[in-house]
């Protein structure tokens, strides 16, 4: 079955859609009509575009270029349109659009069609991070990623074709929404990438587990907000352990502990305290003293995998301002460990690797790493926020039976860290 027929078979056959199906591959009339002879034309769908926002860290690089692997790179794609859901007082989208001759549309449909009737871009970047949005009683920030993504899907269905999509951070605060987003990409067969910049950042030392490594236990630590940075923590953990023997098979249960119960659990599970100490030893700027003394409100994510792997992930505000990882490998007497290093100030060069691989997907149509990683961490985070809301209750997660194999290639940044530190 052709892609156009598959798309239309998944839609309700309204009169307009039936007419649209017959015109699916007639070029749309748009602001950028005509064959794409140069860079791929990309639409940016953004919640908020201000200085130092994720849109600034990603879209600005796609507009103006960036340094990657020690070399200044011109953009490989061309941002031709934007949609901004909110325009705060410190917005920079209008100035950036004027500077680069990019049209800002009042709707997502307009940004994807250029004002015409059909999809007229060759890729979509969705940055649903930052902005004045509500919080729920579970302390989840209700970014409208699903709602914005659905409007992209609507244009795909009506146009009878699809293009690659990147969506920043976790897919949604809600598991059902996230699963729907993933399922759409599988049903309509378009490349989808998502997630955090941390799996692609520097590792000091440059640790990558062997494919098939017999990982027995693992610990990761970070800082920041329970949901916003907790997601980065989960992605940092998952990008390491997904390479273990047997590949990823999913998560069996989660539990979120906060305050004194964090250290009570750690004392009852000595492997976690030992690996935490090993990981923290990789953080040269950690605050002197113990995390127990320095962290007023520790948070612990306990994650048990379907494969039997035991993991613990700590948020330690007041003790570290970076990420670390440590693991026991069967047959090795000493744990393996590393720091995941992020540039603490502009230009936030840990985003450069992410942008590079976003561009590569837009150009080649091939995601650099499996989106199932982010589907799994999204589901884990939503369950952990529910566990927190239920005062630390352990929750079974049979729906997180998500199996995949990590990419063989090593993707994290191997460029000169010293040069980045000087720019911070």
């Amino acid at each position: 079955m052709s892609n156009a027929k598959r798309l239309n078979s998944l839609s309700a056959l309204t009169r307009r859609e039936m007419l649209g199906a017959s015109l699916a591959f007639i070029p749309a009339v748009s602001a950028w009509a005509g064959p794409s002879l140069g860079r791929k034309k990309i639409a940016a769908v953004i919640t908020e575009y201000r200085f130092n926002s994720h849109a600034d860290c990603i879209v600005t690089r796609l507009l103006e270029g960036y340094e990657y692997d020690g070399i200044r790179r011109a953009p490989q794609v061309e941002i031709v349109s934007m949609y901004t859901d909110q325009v705060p007082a410190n917005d920079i989208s209008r100035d950036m659009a004027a500077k680069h001759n990019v049209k800002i549309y009042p709707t997502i449909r307009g940004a994807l069609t250029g004002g015409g009737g059909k999809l007229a871009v060759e890729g979509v970047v969705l940055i649903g991070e930052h902005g004045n949005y509500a919080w729920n009683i579970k302390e989840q920030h209700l970014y409208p990623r699903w709602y914005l993504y659905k409007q992209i899907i609507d244009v795909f269905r009506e146009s009878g074709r699809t293009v690659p999509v990147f969506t920043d951070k976790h897919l949604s605060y809600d598991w059902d929404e996230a699963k729907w987003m993933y399922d759409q990409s599988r049903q309509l067969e378009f490349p989808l990438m998502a997630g955090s910049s941390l799996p692609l950042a520097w590792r000091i030392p440059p640790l990558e587990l062997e494919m098939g490594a017999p990982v027995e236990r693992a610990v990761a630590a970070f800082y920041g907000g329970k949901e916003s940075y907790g997601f980065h923590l989960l992605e940092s953990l998952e990008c390491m352990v997904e390479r273990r023997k047997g590949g990823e098979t999913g998560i069996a249960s989660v539990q979120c502990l906060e305050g004194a119960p964090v250290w009570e659990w750690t004392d009852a599970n000595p492997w976690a305290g030992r690996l935490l100490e090993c990981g923290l030893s990789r953080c040269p700027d950690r605050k002197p003293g113990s995390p127990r003394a320095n962290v007023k409100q520790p948070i612990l994510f306990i994650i048990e995998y379907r494969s039997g792997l035991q993991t613990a992930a700590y948020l330690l505000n007041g003790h570290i301002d970076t990420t670390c990882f440590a693991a026991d490998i069967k047959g090795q007497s000493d744990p393996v460990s590393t720091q995941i290093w992020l540039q603490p100030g502009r230009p936030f060069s840990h985003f450069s690797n992410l942008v590079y691989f976003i561009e590569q997907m837009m150009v080649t149509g091939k995601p650099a790493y499996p989106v199932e990683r982010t589907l799994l961490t999204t589901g884990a985070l939503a369950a952990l926020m529910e566990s927190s809301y239920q005062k630390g209750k352990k929750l079974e997660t049979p729906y997180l039976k998500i199996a995949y194999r990590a990419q063989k290639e090593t993707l994290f940044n191997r460029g000169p860290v010293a040069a980045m530190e000087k720019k911070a």
Side-chain angles (χ1 to χ4, degrees):
M1 182 183 291
S2 70
N3 191 41
K5 289 181 180 178
R6 182 178 288 105
L7 284 163
N8 288 320
S9 71
L10 293 168
S11 304
L13 289 178
T14 64
R15 181 174 181 275
R16 183 180 67 177
E17 288 166 337
M18 289 175 70
L19 289 171
S22 66
L23 300 174
F25 293 102
I26 297 176
V29 176
S30 75
W32 337 289
S36 177
L37 299 178
R39 296 175 296 164
K40 298 284 188 180
K41 294 178 172 62
I42 306 299
V45 176
I46 303 164
T47 49
E48 179 181 271
Y49 192 171
R50 56 171 172 75
F51 188 70
N52 284 351
S53 66
H54 276 219
D56 188 19
C57 292
I58 295 173
V59 177
T60 299
R61 280 177 164 81
L62 294 174
L63 288 168
E64 300 189 335
Y66 55 97
E67 187 171 291
Y68 171 75
D69 199 22
I71 301 171
R72 182 70 186 178
R73 300 179 63 92
Q76 300 176 69
V77 299
E78 180 185 3
I79 300 287
V80 296
S81 62
M82 292 186 202
Y83 165 82
T84 55
D85 198 52
Q86 295 184 355
V87 186
N90 57 349
D91 172 79
I92 63 172
S93 68
R94 273 56 187 166
D95 289 342
M96 292 298 293
K99 179 180 178 182
H100 295 281
N101 195 30
V102 175
K103 185 170 181 179
I104 297 179
Y105 289 84
T107 65
I108 291 174
R109 183 180 302 277
L112 269 61
T113 64
K118 296 290 182 182
L119 182 66
V121 294
E122 297 162 286
V124 182
V125 172
L126 170 57
I127 313 296
E129 181 76 359
H130 302 301
N132 185 21
Y133 297 97
W135 298 73
N136 66 14
I137 57 175
K138 299 178 186 178
E139 300 180 62
Q140 293 172 297
H141 207 162
L142 306 183
Y143 290 122
R145 294 175 187 143
W146 174 87
Y147 180 66
L148 302 179
Y149 184 93
K150 182 182 181 300
Q151 294 176 70
I152 296 167
I153 297 299
D154 288 344
V155 174
F156 286 179
R157 289 184 180 278
E158 293 172 11
S159 299
R161 71 180 187 92
T162 63
V163 296
V165 177
F166 170 80
T167 179
D168 186 36
K169 289 195 69 176
H170 46 300
L171 295 171
S172 172
Y173 59 88
D174 179 86
W175 165 249
D176 289 333
E177 289 185 357
K179 184 61 165 55
W180 183 90
M181 294 168 73
Y182 171 80
D183 288 344
Q184 294 302 297
S185 73
R186 304 304 90 159
Q187 291 175 17
L188 305 186
E189 298 182 351
F190 62 88
L192 177 64
M193 258 174 59
S196 168
S197 61
L198 271 70
L200 303 169
W202 289 271
R203 299 178 191 174
I204 310 172
L207 173 68
E208 184 77 286
L209 298 184
E210 296 285 342
M211 293 296 288
V215 183
E216 294 184 317
R217 293 168 291 271
V219 162
F222 197 29
Y223 71 100
K226 181 166 42 181
E227 185 193 29
S228 59
Y229 277 49
F231 171 71
H232 292 302
L233 175 62
L234 292 174
E235 289 259 299
S236 299
L237 174 67
E238 183 61 27
C239 76
M240 304 298 288
V241 303
E242 67 186 6
R243 301 174 70 86
R244 69 189 182 277
K245 184 178 179 180
E248 187 54 75
T249 57
I251 292 172
S253 67
V254 303
Q255 186 175 14
C256 179
L257 300 179
E258 301 171 64
V262 169
W263 304 125
E264 293 169 6
W265 184 91
T266 302
D267 288 340
N269 295 270
W271 64 266
R274 174 175 52 81
L275 288 178
L276 177 61
E277 183 178 354
C278 180
L280 291 174
S281 71
R282 296 295 190 182
C283 304
D285 296 328
R286 66 188 182 279
K287 186 176 179 179
S290 72
R292 298 186 190 220
N294 293 332
V295 182
K296 295 181 179 179
Q297 187 64 17
I299 298 173
L300 171 60
F301 297 161
I302 304 166
I303 304 167
E304 296 181 0
Y305 285 79
R306 298 183 68 252
S307 63
L309 174 66
Q310 295 177 291
T311 69
Y314 295 79
L315 287 169
L316 301 176
N317 291 309
H319 189 65
I320 55 174
D321 57 5
T322 188
T323 318
C324 62
F325 169 86
D328 283 328
I329 308 298
K330 185 177 181 180
Q332 296 186 22
S333 57
D334 296 322
V336 296
S337 61
T338 190
Q339 174 194 187
I340 298 177
W341 189 81
L342 310 178
Q343 188 177 23
R346 287 186 74 86
F348 303 111
S349 291
H350 51 280
F351 276 93
S352 291
N353 253 36
L354 177 61
V355 172
Y356 173 79
F357 287 113
I358 292 171
E359 289 192 306
Q360 288 298 303
M361 181 185 68
M362 297 299 171
V363 171
T364 67
K366 297 179 180 179
Y369 52 87
V371 72
E372 286 81 4
R373 175 201 296 164
T374 301
L375 179 66
L376 183 61
T377 56
T378 295
L381 181 62
L384 285 159
M385 297 302 288
E386 177 66 29
S387 172
S388 171
Y389 179 66
Q390 295 192 36
K391 308 300 182 185
K393 181 180 178 180
K394 181 178 179 179
L395 300 177
E396 304 297 323
T397 55
Y399 53 90
L400 294 183
K401 186 179 179 180
I402 300 169
Y404 69 93
R405 292 292 186 271
Q407 79 291 338
K408 294 180 180 179
E409 298 78 11
T410 291
L411 304 179
F412 67 86
N413 201 322
R414 292 175 175 269
V417 175
M420 293 300 102
E421 289 176 324
K422 292 176 182 178
K423 293 180 181 180

